[in-house]
């Protein structure tokens, strides 16, 4: 019998990450969620359990290469080799560039971009060895179009497109696909943290006339990790209600 595939989803205590854990569990994958905070990890695991989802949760800071190395080793030892990596961990530290400090810049770059290097670097050799892998990088509409107040976030999210396309070229012959998903404004905690008045202005710029649902992103992930998508690599799926067509 074929071994169930193991999927690691980074940053899985946030809106999109938690939804991904739930959806992939329903699809029959062995799901490993991640958080840098043990308490949050446990709370998410328990909340999902109440909804009938049994997932593993591991602690690890994606911005710290050694922490990621320890986390991946423990997953491989206790659960199995990682077949699917969803680089989802991300934060915002919004401020006009003239008010942005070095800490806001570094923190966003270290988690949103270097975190993707750290996690991917730790799983790629094993994927190459086994001749199979699915890597999905969660970017953002704001990495495509730019956003007032987000020079740090937009730069990091734009960087993911270059990363995706270059790595896709390098690993295509090993049965590994690498793709990006660029969600628009989805009704997550991160977006709800934008002041209400600004949020209303944002929704007014979305032709579909509403924020996206996290499930709408999860469905795209299900497709991109399926065997049906094996001819799709180095690409980007925009899920933004028509806010930016690119
Ligand atoms: N376009 C043009 N001007 C803008 C603007 C915009 N979108 N937003 C703010 N401004 C202007 C204001 O009109 C004001 O101008 P004046 O000084 O001439 O009056 C000025 O910027 C105010 O800026 P301040 O630096 O004084 O600071 P602030 O406290 O108003 O905050 C901000 C600025 C942090 C950028 C705030 O506007 C903000 O939070 N914007 C939302 C940014 C955003 O959309 N973030 C997305 C978060 S969700 C996410 O990232 C998920 C995803 O992937 C989609």
């Amino acid at each position: 019998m074929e071994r169930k595939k193991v999927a690691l989803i980074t940053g899985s205590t946030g809106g999109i990450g938690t939804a991904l854990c739930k959806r992939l569990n329903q699809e029959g994958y062995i799901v490993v969620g991640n958080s840098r905070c043990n308490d949050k990890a446990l709370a998410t695991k328990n909340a999902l359990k109440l909804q009938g989802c049994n997932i593993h949760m591991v602690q690890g800071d994606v911005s710290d290469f050694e922490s990621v190395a320890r986390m991946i080793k423990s997953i491989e030892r206790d659960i199995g080799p990682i077949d699917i990596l969803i680089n989802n961990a991300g934060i915002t530290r919004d401020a006009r560039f003239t008010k942005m400090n070095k800490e806001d810049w570094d923190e966003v770059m270290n988690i949103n971009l270097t975190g993707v290097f750290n996690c991917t670097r730790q799983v790629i050799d094993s994927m190459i060895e086994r001749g199979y892998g699915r890597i999905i990088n969660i970017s953002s509409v704001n990495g495509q179009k730019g956003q007032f107040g987000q020079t740090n976030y937009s730069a990091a999210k734009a960087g993911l497109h270059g990363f995706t396309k270059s790595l896709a070229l390098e690993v295509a012959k090993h049965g590994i696909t690498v793709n990006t998903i660029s969600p628009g404004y989805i009704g997550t905690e991160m977006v709800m943290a934008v002041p209400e008045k600004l949020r209303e202005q944002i929704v007014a710029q979305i032709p579909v006339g509403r924020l996206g649902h996290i499930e709408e992103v999860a469905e795209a992930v299900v497709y991109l990790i399926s065997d049906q998508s094996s001819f799709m690599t180095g690409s980007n799926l925009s899920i933004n209600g028509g806010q930016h067509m690119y």
Side-chain angles (χ1 to χ4, degrees):
M1 204 175 68
E2 209 191 325
R3 174 180 72 81
K4 275 191 179 183
K5 293 195 174 85
V6 175
L8 170 63
I9 302 161
T10 67
S12 15
T13 57
I16 291 179
T18 307
L20 289 178
C21 287
K22 189 173 168 183
R23 189 70 187 87
L24 267 53
N25 178 264
Q26 287 166 348
E27 284 290 312
Y29 294 97
I30 297 173
V31 174
V32 187
N34 147 269
S35 172
R36 57 182 162 167
C37 168
N38 258 330
D39 291 348
K40 275 192 183 173
L42 193 64
T44 302
K45 185 181 161 90
N46 289 340
L48 284 173
K49 198 165 189 180
L50 290 175
Q51 298 173 46
C53 295
N54 270 309
I55 65 157
H56 302 269
M57 264 286 181
V58 290
Q59 191 275 337
D61 178 352
V62 298
S63 68
D64 176 345
F65 193 68
E66 294 309 323
S67 168
V68 174
R70 283 192 297 274
M71 175 179 82
I72 300 294
K73 271 205 188 81
S74 78
I75 298 169
E76 289 174 343
R77 185 191 60 224
D78 300 339
I79 302 166
I82 294 160
D83 305 290
I84 297 158
L85 170 66
I86 301 173
N87 285 308
N88 170 69
I91 60 161
T92 53
R93 293 286 179 269
D94 295 355
R96 260 199 305 184
F97 187 66
T98 49
K99 287 185 176 174
M100 187 173 287
N101 59 42
K102 179 82 163 59
E103 215 174 33
D104 293 334
W105 175 266
D106 285 344
E107 214 184 338
V108 168
M109 294 307 281
N110 290 342
I111 293 177
N112 297 16
L113 186 57
T114 304
V116 172
F117 168 81
N118 291 342
C119 294
T120 308
R121 189 66 194 84
Q122 295 289 350
V123 302
I124 200 77
D125 291 342
S126 161
M127 284 182 176
I128 290 172
E129 230 168 73
R130 286 174 291 121
Y132 179 87
R134 290 280 183 274
I135 297 170
I136 299 181
N137 300 316
I138 305 294
S139 182
S140 163
V141 66
N142 292 345
Q144 298 171 296
K145 72 168 186 57
Q147 170 60 42
F148 192 104
Q150 286 199 310
T151 47
N152 50 1
Y153 185 86
S154 297
K157 292 298 191 183
L160 293 185
H161 294 297
F163 177 90
T164 292
K165 288 186 268 191
S166 300
L167 184 62
L169 288 173
E170 293 185 18
V171 297
K173 64 175 182 227
H174 299 293
I176 303 168
T177 67
V178 190
N179 292 288
T180 309
I181 293 181
S182 296
Y185 283 78
I186 310 295
T188 59
E189 236 175 68
M190 187 186 269
V191 169
M192 296 324 251
V194 173
E196 195 178 348
K197 211 161 173 211
L198 278 177
R199 225 171 43 238
E200 283 168 12
Q201 289 167 15
I202 289 165
V203 172
Q205 293 162 15
I206 303 175
V208 167
R210 62 168 173 84
L211 297 176
H213 302 308
I214 43 184
E215 293 77 12
E216 290 168 322
V217 177
E219 287 312 311
V221 170
V222 168
Y223 171 66
L224 282 178
I225 62 175
S226 71
D227 288 339
Q228 285 71 38
S229 73
S230 53
F231 200 55
M232 189 162 174
T233 193
S235 67
N236 174 56
L237 284 181
S238 295
I239 307 176
N240 61 36
Q243 189 184 2
H244 184 71
M245 299 178 189
Y246 170 68

